[in-house]
Amino acid sequence: MKRRDFLKSSAILAVGTTVPAISLAETRQSKSGDILDAKTAKESLIDSAPMLQNYAENSMGVAFSVTDMANGFVTYGEKPDLSDGKTVKCGGYRVTDMNDKVMQIRLTGLKPATTYYYKIGADRICYKGGYDMHILGTEIDPRIYHFTTAGKEAKAHFCVINDTHVQWPAITKIADKLAELNPSCVVWNGDACNTEETIEAQKRIFLKPEINRKDYASETPYLFCCGNHDSRGLANRHMERVWMFRQPEERLSRDWDLGRNFAVRMGDIALIGLDTAEDKLDTNPLFAGLFSSEAYREAQKPWLREALKQPEIMSAPYLIAICHIPLYDPDPTANPGDLRPADKAPNYSPDYASWQRTCAQLWTPLLQEAGCQLIITAHQHLYRYDAPTQNRQWAQIVGGGPKMDKGTKEYPTIVEGEISDNKLKITVHNILDNKVQDVFTFDSRKV
Ligand SMILES: [Fe+2]
Ligand SMILES: [Fe+2]
């Protein structure tokens, strides 16, 4: 067996193994040199496996949960034993990001399509004031994880999941299937949340899920396209505290607030990630003027225009866009999300956006001109394929819902994309019945 193949098999085994959430305290050393044993420390400082966030060519985010005031770090390198390891602390310039909830470490300056190994750790901090702070001890998760960055030479293989809505039976099966498929990255296409008021609730969804595969995102990097539910609740107004933004240098100052939009190349495929925002108008009285989706959608147009012109995106034979709310609906009575002022009008249903006409008008001309073959969406909880037409040259896939009851139409899907026989092959997996629902192939665009 070649070394590369061996590593891949090891990865599958590692992902397939149920890892206890708390088995992490390899090293706990106090400032004075005393070893802190389990009796000394009340509970493990690190209480989740790491989650890889915002898959990219030159950077990778690592997030994990902590139980006490802490300063997290990642040690990473290209050697499996980390003998070449460099350590990066959480936070940016000026101060580290000391907090008692989530450690976020963004590794930058990485090489494209390269495998890196990494370990996580955290210092437990005693903080009593601006001049009175010290490190009580350090915990290091003994497991060495690994990831591979994106890039032209990376394996073109992705999966899209959506509308999981904190439904553990569905998420358990989805995580099992993802471990079997072992893609280069997974796009979580929105409505991971319902309405989340606390960081603890957000941590439960992304970092401490109630499934066996606590390490579901420790070696498979994730991308995130927000759904309407991912903006609801006090905590979700600052989702970036749990699901980090990309580094500021990864976007223009104009695009400061577009922290999770992505344009990423993996092999022959370019993936574009957009955020359709709320499914209610900013003027809907239900939201009391506290949402600003309209400006946000418009701000993504110049970002998209330039993202499509990036050389690594322009030269990709296959261009796929991903966003939560559909950009087309064949049903003329489906609410298009622009029924002013309160999302209601005769002959339309429901009383929120079923699809997003505003986003379609802003973004799809650019995508069509670029030769985009497929837009993968979600939101309607009902799997559907919309074939291209004379005027609309892109196909649309709408992912399924979170239900696992026998016979339901709202079954979960995984949309898998890869290159097969020099074509883009899209496989839609039905997670309820554990079967392939549909397979589609797409020809290369002219590049
Ligand atoms: Fe949903
Ligand atoms: Fe939705």
Side-chain angles (χ1 to χ4, degrees), residues 162-165 189-194 227-229 279 324 378-381 400-402:
N162 62 280
D163 291 281
T164 42
H165 286 285
N189 195 14
D191 284 5
C193 300
N194 291 316
N228 45 303
H229 279 272
D279 67 2
H324 179 73
H379 183 61
Q380 297 185 355
H381 295 201

PDB file of all heavy atoms in Angstrom, residues 162-165 189-194 227-229 279 324 378-381 400-402, ligand 1:
ATOM      1  N   ASN A 162     -27.658  20.267   4.576  1.00  0.00           N
ATOM      2  CA  ASN A 162     -28.468  21.469   4.818  1.00  0.00           C
ATOM      3  C   ASN A 162     -29.641  21.178   5.743  1.00  0.00           C
ATOM      4  O   ASN A 162     -30.062  20.018   5.885  1.00  0.00           O
ATOM      5  CB  ASN A 162     -29.015  22.011   3.482  1.00  0.00           C
ATOM      6  CG  ASN A 162     -29.940  21.017   2.783  1.00  0.00           C
ATOM      7  OD1 ASN A 162     -29.437  20.100   2.137  1.00  0.00           O
ATOM      8  ND2 ASN A 162     -31.240  21.170   2.925  1.00  0.00           N
ATOM      9  N   ASP A 163     -30.167  22.261   6.317  1.00  0.00           N
ATOM     10  CA  ASP A 163     -31.419  22.200   7.094  1.00  0.00           C
ATOM     11  C   ASP A 163     -31.437  21.076   8.133  1.00  0.00           C
ATOM     12  O   ASP A 163     -32.429  20.356   8.259  1.00  0.00           O
ATOM     13  CB  ASP A 163     -32.623  22.070   6.146  1.00  0.00           C
ATOM     14  CG  ASP A 163     -32.832  23.346   5.356  1.00  0.00           C
ATOM     15  OD1 ASP A 163     -33.394  24.309   5.904  1.00  0.00           O
ATOM     16  OD2 ASP A 163     -32.376  23.408   4.191  1.00  0.00           O
ATOM     17  N   THR A 164     -30.356  20.969   8.875  1.00  0.00           N
ATOM     18  CA  THR A 164     -30.284  19.922   9.900  1.00  0.00           C
ATOM     19  C   THR A 164     -31.075  20.308  11.152  1.00  0.00           C
ATOM     20  O   THR A 164     -31.541  19.429  11.884  1.00  0.00           O
ATOM     21  CB  THR A 164     -28.820  19.630  10.243  1.00  0.00           C
ATOM     22  OG1 THR A 164     -28.105  20.863  10.318  1.00  0.00           O
ATOM     23  CG2 THR A 164     -28.175  18.758   9.176  1.00  0.00           C
ATOM     24  N   HIS A 165     -31.234  21.621  11.422  1.00  0.00           N
ATOM     25  CA  HIS A 165     -32.153  22.104  12.468  1.00  0.00           C
ATOM     26  C   HIS A 165     -32.018  21.390  13.817  1.00  0.00           C
ATOM     27  O   HIS A 165     -33.036  21.141  14.489  1.00  0.00           O
ATOM     28  CB  HIS A 165     -33.604  22.011  11.980  1.00  0.00           C
ATOM     29  CG  HIS A 165     -33.963  23.067  10.966  1.00  0.00           C
ATOM     30  ND1 HIS A 165     -34.182  24.379  11.305  1.00  0.00           N
ATOM     31  CD2 HIS A 165     -34.098  23.002   9.611  1.00  0.00           C
ATOM     32  CE1 HIS A 165     -34.475  25.077  10.209  1.00  0.00           C
ATOM     33  NE2 HIS A 165     -34.412  24.269   9.165  1.00  0.00           N
ATOM     34  N   ASN A 189     -25.020  23.964   4.317  1.00  0.00           N
ATOM     35  CA  ASN A 189     -25.751  24.992   3.569  1.00  0.00           C
ATOM     36  C   ASN A 189     -26.955  25.529   4.341  1.00  0.00           C
ATOM     37  O   ASN A 189     -28.076  25.562   3.835  1.00  0.00           O
ATOM     38  CB  ASN A 189     -26.164  24.429   2.203  1.00  0.00           C
ATOM     39  CG  ASN A 189     -26.587  25.526   1.249  1.00  0.00           C
ATOM     40  OD1 ASN A 189     -26.336  26.711   1.484  1.00  0.00           O
ATOM     41  ND2 ASN A 189     -27.233  25.146   0.158  1.00  0.00           N
ATOM     42  N   GLY A 190     -26.714  25.941   5.550  1.00  0.00           N
ATOM     43  CA  GLY A 190     -27.690  26.732   6.278  1.00  0.00           C
ATOM     44  C   GLY A 190     -28.741  25.990   7.064  1.00  0.00           C
ATOM     45  O   GLY A 190     -28.975  24.799   6.895  1.00  0.00           O
ATOM     46  N   ASP A 191     -29.379  26.759   7.982  1.00  0.00           N
ATOM     47  CA  ASP A 191     -30.356  26.228   8.930  1.00  0.00           C
ATOM     48  C   ASP A 191     -29.771  25.060   9.733  1.00  0.00           C
ATOM     49  O   ASP A 191     -30.444  24.053   9.977  1.00  0.00           O
ATOM     50  CB  ASP A 191     -31.667  25.844   8.235  1.00  0.00           C
ATOM     51  CG  ASP A 191     -32.521  27.066   7.890  1.00  0.00           C
ATOM     52  OD1 ASP A 191     -32.061  28.203   8.110  1.00  0.00           O
ATOM     53  OD2 ASP A 191     -33.655  26.879   7.394  1.00  0.00           O
ATOM     54  N   ALA A 192     -28.529  25.242  10.150  1.00  0.00           N
ATOM     55  CA  ALA A 192     -27.961  24.329  11.144  1.00  0.00           C
ATOM     56  C   ALA A 192     -28.656  24.592  12.471  1.00  0.00           C
ATOM     57  O   ALA A 192     -28.813  23.706  13.300  1.00  0.00           O
ATOM     58  CB  ALA A 192     -26.458  24.569  11.277  1.00  0.00           C
ATOM     59  N   CYS A 193     -29.071  25.843  12.675  1.00  0.00           N
ATOM     60  CA  CYS A 193     -29.702  26.288  13.923  1.00  0.00           C
ATOM     61  C   CYS A 193     -31.217  26.309  13.798  1.00  0.00           C
ATOM     62  O   CYS A 193     -31.776  26.119  12.710  1.00  0.00           O
ATOM     63  CB  CYS A 193     -29.241  27.710  14.246  1.00  0.00           C
ATOM     64  SG  CYS A 193     -27.462  27.869  14.455  1.00  0.00           S
ATOM     65  N   ASN A 194     -31.864  26.586  14.942  1.00  0.00           N
ATOM     66  CA  ASN A 194     -33.275  26.971  14.935  1.00  0.00           C
ATOM     67  C   ASN A 194     -33.331  28.444  15.320  1.00  0.00           C
ATOM     68  O   ASN A 194     -33.302  29.306  14.474  1.00  0.00           O
ATOM     69  CB  ASN A 194     -34.078  26.093  15.889  1.00  0.00           C
ATOM     70  CG  ASN A 194     -34.176  24.674  15.368  1.00  0.00           C
ATOM     71  OD1 ASN A 194     -34.421  24.477  14.180  1.00  0.00           O
ATOM     72  ND2 ASN A 194     -33.968  23.701  16.214  1.00  0.00           N
ATOM     73  N   GLY A 227     -28.096  30.058   6.783  1.00  0.00           N
ATOM     74  CA  GLY A 227     -29.503  30.031   6.415  1.00  0.00           C
ATOM     75  C   GLY A 227     -30.244  31.078   7.222  1.00  0.00           C
ATOM     76  O   GLY A 227     -29.674  31.700   8.123  1.00  0.00           O
ATOM     77  N   ASN A 228     -31.524  31.252   6.942  1.00  0.00           N
ATOM     78  CA  ASN A 228     -32.308  32.250   7.657  1.00  0.00           C
ATOM     79  C   ASN A 228     -32.323  31.970   9.167  1.00  0.00           C
ATOM     80  O   ASN A 228     -32.212  32.889   9.972  1.00  0.00           O
ATOM     81  CB  ASN A 228     -33.734  32.333   7.097  1.00  0.00           C
ATOM     82  CG  ASN A 228     -34.358  30.967   6.877  1.00  0.00           C
ATOM     83  OD1 ASN A 228     -33.808  30.133   6.159  1.00  0.00           O
ATOM     84  ND2 ASN A 228     -35.486  30.716   7.508  1.00  0.00           N
ATOM     85  N   HIS A 229     -32.392  30.702   9.555  1.00  0.00           N
ATOM     86  CA  HIS A 229     -32.420  30.389  10.986  1.00  0.00           C
ATOM     87  C   HIS A 229     -31.083  30.659  11.684  1.00  0.00           C
ATOM     88  O   HIS A 229     -31.040  30.780  12.901  1.00  0.00           O
ATOM     89  CB  HIS A 229     -32.839  28.940  11.215  1.00  0.00           C
ATOM     90  CG  HIS A 229     -34.321  28.752  11.154  1.00  0.00           C
ATOM     91  ND1 HIS A 229     -35.128  28.898  12.256  1.00  0.00           N
ATOM     92  CD2 HIS A 229     -35.145  28.470  10.120  1.00  0.00           C
ATOM     93  CE1 HIS A 229     -36.389  28.696  11.907  1.00  0.00           C
ATOM     94  NE2 HIS A 229     -36.428  28.438  10.613  1.00  0.00           N
ATOM     95  N   ASP A 279     -35.403  35.075   5.416  1.00  0.00           N
ATOM     96  CA  ASP A 279     -36.484  34.783   4.468  1.00  0.00           C
ATOM     97  C   ASP A 279     -37.674  35.723   4.678  1.00  0.00           C
ATOM     98  O   ASP A 279     -38.747  35.490   4.170  1.00  0.00           O
ATOM     99  CB  ASP A 279     -36.907  33.304   4.539  1.00  0.00           C
ATOM    100  CG  ASP A 279     -37.571  32.931   5.861  1.00  0.00           C
ATOM    101  OD1 ASP A 279     -37.742  33.817   6.726  1.00  0.00           O
ATOM    102  OD2 ASP A 279     -37.924  31.747   6.032  1.00  0.00           O
ATOM    103  N   HIS A 324     -28.324  29.210   0.618  1.00  0.00           N
ATOM    104  CA  HIS A 324     -29.387  28.514   1.347  1.00  0.00           C
ATOM    105  C   HIS A 324     -30.753  28.596   0.647  1.00  0.00           C
ATOM    106  O   HIS A 324     -31.375  27.589   0.342  1.00  0.00           O
ATOM    107  CB  HIS A 324     -29.479  29.069   2.773  1.00  0.00           C
ATOM    108  CG  HIS A 324     -30.553  28.422   3.584  1.00  0.00           C
ATOM    109  ND1 HIS A 324     -30.441  27.128   4.059  1.00  0.00           N
ATOM    110  CD2 HIS A 324     -31.766  28.873   3.977  1.00  0.00           C
ATOM    111  CE1 HIS A 324     -31.545  26.814   4.710  1.00  0.00           C
ATOM    112  NE2 HIS A 324     -32.371  27.848   4.672  1.00  0.00           N
ATOM    113  N   ALA A 378     -31.201  25.065  -0.610  1.00  0.00           N
ATOM    114  CA  ALA A 378     -31.769  24.320   0.524  1.00  0.00           C
ATOM    115  C   ALA A 378     -33.128  24.952   0.876  1.00  0.00           C
ATOM    116  O   ALA A 378     -33.880  25.343   0.013  1.00  0.00           O
ATOM    117  CB  ALA A 378     -30.792  24.403   1.688  1.00  0.00           C
ATOM    118  N   HIS A 379     -33.430  25.038   2.189  1.00  0.00           N
ATOM    119  CA  HIS A 379     -34.502  25.877   2.736  1.00  0.00           C
ATOM    120  C   HIS A 379     -35.904  25.292   2.628  1.00  0.00           C
ATOM    121  O   HIS A 379     -36.706  25.459   3.534  1.00  0.00           O
ATOM    122  CB  HIS A 379     -34.451  27.263   2.066  1.00  0.00           C
ATOM    123  CG  HIS A 379     -35.433  28.258   2.578  1.00  0.00           C
ATOM    124  ND1 HIS A 379     -35.441  28.671   3.903  1.00  0.00           N
ATOM    125  CD2 HIS A 379     -36.433  28.951   1.955  1.00  0.00           C
ATOM    126  CE1 HIS A 379     -36.400  29.577   4.051  1.00  0.00           C
ATOM    127  NE2 HIS A 379     -37.023  29.755   2.901  1.00  0.00           N
ATOM    128  N   GLN A 380     -36.229  24.624   1.528  1.00  0.00           N
ATOM    129  CA  GLN A 380     -37.613  24.168   1.342  1.00  0.00           C
ATOM    130  C   GLN A 380     -37.877  22.802   1.975  1.00  0.00           C
ATOM    131  O   GLN A 380     -39.017  22.334   1.960  1.00  0.00           O
ATOM    132  CB  GLN A 380     -37.963  24.159  -0.148  1.00  0.00           C
ATOM    133  CG  GLN A 380     -37.898  25.566  -0.768  1.00  0.00           C
ATOM    134  CD  GLN A 380     -38.362  25.604  -2.210  1.00  0.00           C
ATOM    135  OE1 GLN A 380     -38.661  24.581  -2.814  1.00  0.00           O
ATOM    136  NE2 GLN A 380     -38.417  26.796  -2.773  1.00  0.00           N
ATOM    137  N   HIS A 381     -36.852  22.148   2.474  1.00  0.00           N
ATOM    138  CA  HIS A 381     -36.980  20.856   3.159  1.00  0.00           C
ATOM    139  C   HIS A 381     -37.549  19.766   2.250  1.00  0.00           C
ATOM    140  O   HIS A 381     -38.125  18.790   2.738  1.00  0.00           O
ATOM    141  CB  HIS A 381     -37.837  20.966   4.432  1.00  0.00           C
ATOM    142  CG  HIS A 381     -37.227  21.822   5.490  1.00  0.00           C
ATOM    143  ND1 HIS A 381     -37.575  21.725   6.823  1.00  0.00           N
ATOM    144  CD2 HIS A 381     -36.262  22.783   5.443  1.00  0.00           C
ATOM    145  CE1 HIS A 381     -36.881  22.595   7.523  1.00  0.00           C
ATOM    146  NE2 HIS A 381     -36.073  23.260   6.712  1.00  0.00           N
ATOM    147  N   GLY A 400     -32.740  18.331   0.811  1.00  0.00           N
ATOM    148  CA  GLY A 400     -33.911  17.864   1.551  1.00  0.00           C
ATOM    149  C   GLY A 400     -34.047  18.444   2.947  1.00  0.00           C
ATOM    150  O   GLY A 400     -33.397  19.437   3.289  1.00  0.00           O
ATOM    151  N   GLY A 401     -34.883  17.809   3.753  1.00  0.00           N
ATOM    152  CA  GLY A 401     -35.195  18.327   5.093  1.00  0.00           C
ATOM    153  C   GLY A 401     -34.584  17.484   6.199  1.00  0.00           C
ATOM    154  O   GLY A 401     -33.744  16.623   5.929  1.00  0.00           O
ATOM    155  N   PRO A 402     -35.022  17.703   7.452  1.00  0.00           N
ATOM    156  CA  PRO A 402     -34.386  17.005   8.577  1.00  0.00           C
ATOM    157  C   PRO A 402     -35.194  15.820   9.116  1.00  0.00           C
ATOM    158  O   PRO A 402     -34.884  15.299  10.177  1.00  0.00           O
ATOM    159  CB  PRO A 402     -34.317  18.112   9.629  1.00  0.00           C
ATOM    160  CG  PRO A 402     -35.528  18.958   9.358  1.00  0.00           C
ATOM    161  CD  PRO A 402     -35.864  18.822   7.890  1.00  0.00           C
TER     162      PRO A 402
HETATM  163 FE    FE B   1     -34.785  24.994   7.161  1.00  0.00          FE
END
